[in-house]
């Protein structure tokens, strides 16, 4: 825009003035529309300020262009982008566009008479609409100054204002009096009064009729709004109470979760502290030579516990993932079982066929089989052994068998003795760990230490209770045992529970 103003074009000036400059104005107006749209959609204050500053720069460039080339004023006014920029509800951009229109009228006072009637009516309609639809004094001042300038430029335009907008004078006098621009407002009203002096009585009558219609309409709207007000207030109160109750429930649940989490942490810390205390007490009791063995046993127990929890977690996860396939598998098993039972019943109902005597061999088949047997005997002759050697071999086998049976019986007795001693040691360790202090010891506690049958009976009772619990397990704990008989307990479970009886402290 700065390059085009004051430029003397010597070669092909017609193309510059009739094609290039209107195209530049059109592009600048289109850019202004894009910036206006981005400014309206922007959320952050910094972006708003940036887009508004760039929009002001574009409008200044347009004003600079038609200030240097007066013929561009009509081109700007007739452009569709200019009308779209002017027709906006945004305050900042509307004020800027009204200042651009003011500059157009100052540069070329007869531009409104040069444009077509549709463009003129569109511009005036937008100015009057801004006066009637807003209460912002800045927009009202700018629109009033523009209408005053239009009325001063040509009396023909004053006739258009009075004929096209018959309620404009009443709107200006009632809505915009005392807003800070009474001087310009008074001049505009004087011009409108002078133009309407001939039809003053008709104007007053129409004004009164419009006031009555507006009063009736406003009363109807107010009564309608007042009828809906209690319902709206009730709905608002209900929604507010529901939201407040939801927030209170959320806060309460959050506090309960935090308290439960803190309680679980405290219980975990207490259990860990108790475990360490018992472990230290047990280390004080155990002989120094047995500490390494005890530590290895504790490490093994810890590893087994970790493995058990991990396998349980993995089994539960796989079960949830494979629930559908397991359901289909069970359904297939049920169908197959029913089909097998049905086929078995049909097979039993079917009558037995009469006995058929197998066919005998012919003479040729007998000779062929006899020849094969003779050939096999020739190729694999039997080893011959004397009777004395066979008796010696039999005596040696009998001696080795007797030695093996004697050795296995001794090993079995030694193993039983070791298991018994180990069970006695583990039982003594558990009794010592669970024993009360010397100040709290009673005669019953002494009987527990002196009698060997009480701990064994206690272990047997625990094993029996464990096996009874196993029989009352729900179905989802015995998924692997669904194809076993109902009254059969797995060998692993029995061994585990009997192990707790004979080897105290293992399980």
């Amino acid at each position: 825009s700065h390059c085009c103003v004051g430029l003397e074009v010597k070669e092909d000036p017609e193309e510059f003035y009739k094609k290039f400059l209107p195209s530049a104005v059109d592009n600048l107006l289109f850019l202004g529309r894009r910036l206006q749209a981005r400014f309206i959609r922007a959320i952050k204050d910094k972006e708003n300020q940036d887009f508004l500053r760039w929009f002001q720069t574009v409008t200044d460039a347009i004003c600079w262009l038609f200030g240097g080339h007066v013929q561009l004023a009509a081109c700007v006014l007739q452009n569709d982008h200019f009308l779209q920029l002017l027709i906006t509800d945004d305050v900042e951009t509307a004020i800027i566009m009204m200042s651009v229109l003011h500059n157009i009228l100052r540069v070329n006072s007869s531009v409104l008479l040069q444009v077509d009637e549709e463009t003129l009516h569109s511009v005036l309609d937008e100015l009057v609409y801004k006066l009637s639809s807003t209460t912002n004094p800045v927009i009202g001042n700018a629109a009033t100054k523009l209408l005053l300038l239009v009325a001063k430029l040509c009396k023909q335009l004053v006739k258009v204002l009075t004929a096209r907008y018959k309620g404009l004078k009443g709107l200006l006098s009632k809505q915009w009096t005392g807003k800070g621009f009474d001087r310009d407002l008074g001049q505009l009203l004087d011009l409108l009064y002078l133009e309407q002096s001939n039809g003053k009585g008709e104007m007053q009558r129409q004004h009164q009729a419009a006031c009555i219609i507006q009063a009736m309409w406003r009363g109807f709207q107010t009564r309608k709004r007042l009828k809906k007000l209690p319902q709206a207030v009730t709905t608002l109160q209900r929604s507010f109470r529901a939201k407040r109750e939801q927030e209170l429930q959320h806060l309460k649940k959050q506090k309960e979760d935090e308290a439960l989490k803190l309680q679980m942490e405290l219980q975990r810390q207490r259990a860990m502290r108790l475990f360490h205390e018992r472990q230290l007490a047990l280390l004080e009791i155990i002989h120094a030579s047995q500490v390494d063995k005890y530590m290895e046993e504790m490490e093994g127990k810890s590893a087994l516990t970790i493995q058990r929890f991990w396998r349980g977690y993995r089994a539960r996860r796989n079960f949830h993932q494979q629930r559908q396939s397991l359901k289909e598998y069970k359904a297939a098993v049920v169908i197959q079982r029913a089909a097998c039972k049905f086929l078995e019943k049909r097979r039993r109902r079917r009558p037995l066929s009469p006995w058929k005597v197998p066919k005998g061999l012919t003479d040729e088949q007998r000779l062929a089989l006899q020849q094969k047997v003779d050939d096999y005997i020739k190729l694999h002759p039997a080893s011959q052994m004397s009777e004395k050697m066979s008796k010696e071999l039999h005596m040696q086998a009998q001696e080795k068998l007797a030695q093996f049976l004697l050795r296995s019986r001794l090993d079995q007795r030694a193993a039983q003795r070791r298991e018994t001693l180990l069970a006695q040691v583990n039982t003594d360790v558990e009794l010592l760990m669970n024993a009360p202090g010397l100040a709290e010891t009673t005669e019953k506690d002494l009987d527990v230490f002196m009698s060997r049958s009480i701990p064994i009976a206690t272990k047997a009772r625990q094993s029996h209770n464990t096996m009874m619990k196993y029989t009352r397990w729900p179905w989802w704990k015995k998924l692997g045992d669904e194809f076993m008989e109902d009254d059969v307990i797995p060998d692993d479970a029995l061994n585990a529970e009997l192990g707790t009886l004979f080897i105290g402290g293992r399980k």
Side-chain angles (χ1 to χ4, degrees):
S1 62
H2 283 279
C3 293
C4 292
V5 174
L7 180 65
E8 296 181 1
V9 181
K10 297 180 179 180
E11 297 180 359
D12 200 1
E14 184 177 358
E15 182 178 1
F16 176 75
Y17 289 109
K18 292 185 179 181
K19 292 183 179 180
F20 177 75
L21 289 179
S23 176
V25 169
D26 184 73
N27 290 331
L28 287 173
L29 290 172
F30 179 71
L31 177 60
R33 283 192 63 187
R34 297 289 298 273
L35 291 173
Q36 186 186 45
R38 294 293 296 274
F39 169 74
I40 294 173
R41 291 198 304 268
I43 299 176
K44 298 181 179 179
D45 295 337
K46 186 178 180 181
E47 292 182 357
N48 284 334
Q49 296 298 326
D50 293 338
F51 284 121
L52 184 62
R53 186 176 68 255
W54 296 334
F55 182 77
Q56 182 70 47
T57 304
V58 172
T59 54
D60 292 343
I62 296 171
C63 294
W64 183 261
L65 268 179
F66 65 71
H69 304 280
V70 182
Q71 71 277 8
L72 292 178
C75 180
V76 173
L77 198 60
Q78 289 180 342
N79 197 296
D80 293 336
H81 296 310
F82 177 79
L83 293 177
Q84 292 293 332
L85 287 169
L86 186 63
I87 301 172
T88 180
D89 295 331
D90 184 65
V91 178
E92 290 83 354
T93 56
I95 293 171
I96 294 174
M97 291 309 301
M98 284 192 287
S99 66
V100 173
L101 181 59
H102 193 273
N103 292 331
I104 291 174
L105 296 177
R106 285 174 54 191
V107 170
N108 190 355
S109 58
S110 61
V111 66
L112 293 177
L113 299 176
Q114 295 176 2
V115 299
D116 54 355
E117 187 177 358
E118 184 179 359
T119 304
L120 175 62
H121 289 170
S122 299
V123 174
L124 294 178
D125 289 345
E126 181 60 25
L127 293 177
V128 175
Y129 173 76
K130 290 185 183 302
L131 286 172
S132 61
S133 64
T134 183
T135 57
N136 193 336
V138 180
I139 294 180
N141 187 11
T144 303
K145 287 183 178 180
L146 281 173
L147 290 177
L148 179 61
L149 184 60
V150 168
K152 286 182 178 180
L153 290 177
C154 185
K155 293 183 179 181
Q156 185 179 356
L157 297 178
V158 179
K159 293 181 180 180
V160 172
L161 289 174
T162 55
R164 188 174 177 84
Y165 313 104
K166 295 182 180 180
L168 179 61
K169 187 178 66 172
L171 174 67
L172 293 173
S173 60
K174 283 189 174 183
Q175 186 172 349
W176 296 105
T177 302
K179 298 294 184 179
F181 48 93
D182 292 341
R183 181 178 178 182
D184 297 332
L185 184 63
Q187 293 179 6
L188 180 60
L189 289 174
D190 291 340
L191 291 175
L192 294 176
Y193 275 123
L194 289 175
E195 184 64 30
Q196 294 179 350
S197 59
N198 296 329
K200 187 176 181 181
E202 182 67 19
M203 187 65 190
Q204 288 180 354
R205 189 179 65 81
Q206 293 179 359
H207 175 67
Q208 291 178 358
C211 290
I212 292 172
I213 293 171
Q214 290 177 0
M216 294 295 293
W217 173 251
R218 288 169 183 167
F220 171 73
Q221 289 289 339
T222 303
R223 289 190 295 274
K224 186 177 179 181
R225 194 180 302 111
L226 288 175
K227 287 181 180 179
K228 292 182 178 180
L229 186 61
Q231 184 179 2
V233 171
T234 304
T235 305
L236 180 63
Q237 290 177 351
R238 188 186 300 112
S239 62
F240 173 75
R241 289 168 183 167
K243 185 177 180 181
R244 184 177 60 183
E245 184 67 22
Q246 187 177 3
E247 291 178 354
L248 292 176
Q249 291 291 338
H250 179 69
L251 291 175
K252 183 178 179 181
K253 184 178 179 181
Q254 188 176 3
K255 290 181 180 178
E256 290 178 355
D257 293 341
E258 291 178 356
L260 180 61
K261 185 177 180 181
L262 181 60
Q263 187 176 2
M264 291 296 293
E265 291 180 356
L266 292 175
Q267 290 180 359
R268 194 179 295 111
Q269 291 177 1
R270 291 171 184 170
M272 187 64 69
R273 188 182 300 111
L274 181 62
F275 172 74
H276 287 305
E277 289 177 357
R278 292 178 61 183
Q279 191 174 14
L280 291 175
L282 187 59
L283 286 174
E284 292 177 357
I285 296 171
I286 295 175
H287 194 268
S289 61
Q290 300 293 327
V291 172
D292 294 337
K293 183 179 179 180
Y294 173 75
M295 294 304 295
E296 290 178 359
E297 184 179 355
M298 292 302 296
E299 290 177 359
K301 288 182 180 180
S302 302
L304 289 175
T305 303
I306 294 171
Q307 291 174 0
R308 184 172 64 253
F309 277 98
W310 165 248
R311 287 168 183 164
Y313 165 74
R314 184 175 60 185
R316 288 190 296 272
R317 184 183 62 185
N318 294 334
F319 172 72
H320 288 297
Q321 293 176 356
Q322 299 175 359
R323 179 177 293 178
Q324 185 64 26
S325 60
L326 182 62
K327 189 182 295 183
E328 294 175 358
Y329 173 73
K330 289 183 178 180
V333 170
V334 172
I335 294 171
Q336 290 175 1
R337 187 184 294 115
C340 291
K341 288 182 180 179
F342 174 74
L343 294 175
E344 184 66 23
K345 288 180 181 179
R346 288 195 61 181
R347 193 180 299 112
R348 291 176 182 176
R349 291 177 185 176
R350 187 180 301 171
L352 297 176
S353 59
W355 174 258
K356 294 182 180 181
V357 180
K359 296 181 180 180
L361 297 175
T362 60
D363 296 336
E364 295 178 356
Q365 291 177 351
R366 287 194 186 95
L367 292 174
L369 289 174
Q370 186 64 35
Q371 185 64 32
K372 289 182 180 179
V373 171
D374 295 339
D375 295 338
Y376 183 81
I377 291 172
K378 289 179 182 179
L379 293 174
H380 304 85
S383 59
Q384 296 180 359
M385 184 180 295
S386 62
E387 184 178 357
K388 185 178 180 180
M389 292 179 64
S390 64
K391 288 182 178 180
E392 290 180 358
L393 184 61
H394 178 69
M395 291 301 294
Q396 291 177 5
Q398 289 294 329
E399 291 177 0
K400 290 183 179 180
L401 180 61
Q403 292 177 3
F404 172 74
L405 292 175
L406 181 60
R407 193 185 308 113
S408 62
R409 189 174 301 170
L410 294 176
D411 294 340
Q412 186 177 4
R413 289 180 180 177
Q416 290 179 357
R417 187 171 179 275
R418 285 196 301 271
E419 290 182 359
T420 305
L421 291 175
L422 185 58
Q424 183 177 358
V425 170
N426 289 330
T427 305
D428 294 338
V429 169
E430 286 190 356
L431 290 174
L432 289 173
M433 290 175 62
N434 298 325
L438 294 176
E440 301 174 357
T441 305
T442 60
E443 294 182 358
K444 293 182 179 180
D445 297 331
L446 294 176
D447 294 339
V448 170
F449 282 96
M450 295 177 65
S451 175
R452 306 306 302 173
S453 61
I454 293 177
I456 295 174
T458 304
K459 288 293 182 179
R461 192 181 301 109
Q462 291 178 359
S463 301
H464 177 71
N465 292 334
T466 305
M467 285 189 286
M468 293 299 293
K469 287 181 181 178
Y470 176 81
T471 58
R472 292 192 293 270
W473 274 359
W475 63 269
W476 49 269
K477 282 192 177 182
K478 295 188 288 185
L479 286 177
D481 307 327
E482 59 183 354
F483 299 110
M484 297 192 305
E485 297 182 0
D486 296 336
D487 55 348
V488 177
I489 301 176
D491 295 336
D492 296 338
L494 287 175
N495 294 335
E497 299 305 329
L498 293 175
T500 58
L501 175 62
F502 295 108
I503 306 176
R506 283 290 183 90
K507 298 291 183 183

